[in-house]
């Protein structure tokens, strides 16, 4: 089953590759979540809006921040 280590999907634009948008990692529930994922992705790509429901699933959650001490 394709999924991420935190068991949450990855939905949103790539920070490193212009034009790359992720909608993956739904695990075995992908068939259940595909309609709402498609709706949100379409809103973001076609209308150019940000759908806040995806905030906790953004690829940036894997980025580590480094604090300067």
């Amino acid at each position: 089953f394709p999924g991420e280590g935190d068991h949450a999907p990855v939905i949103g634009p790539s920070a490193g590759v212009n034009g790359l948008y992720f909608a993956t990692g739904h695990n075995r529930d992908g068939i259940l979540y595909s309609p709402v994922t498609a709706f949100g992705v379409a809103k973001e790509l076609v209308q150019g809006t940000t759908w806040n429901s995806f905030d906790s699933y953004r690829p940036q959650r894997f980025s580590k921040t480094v604090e300067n001490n």
Side-chain angles (χ1 to χ4, degrees), residues 18-68:
N18 190 26
L20 177 62
Y21 194 97
F22 296 102
T24 188
H26 288 76
N27 226 336
R28 64 175 134 185
D29 296 324
I31 194 73
L32 300 173
Y33 296 132
S34 59
V36 71
T37 299
F39 177 81
V41 168
K43 283 185 70 74
E44 293 197 351
L45 295 179
V46 174
Q47 296 177 357
T49 61
T50 299
W51 203 35
N52 295 336
S53 296
F54 288 161
D55 285 350
S56 59
Y57 305 122
R58 301 288 179 195
Q60 291 76 17
R61 74 180 190 267
F62 299 111
S63 299
K64 295 186 183 221
T65 58
V66 177
E67 293 182 24
N68 293 328

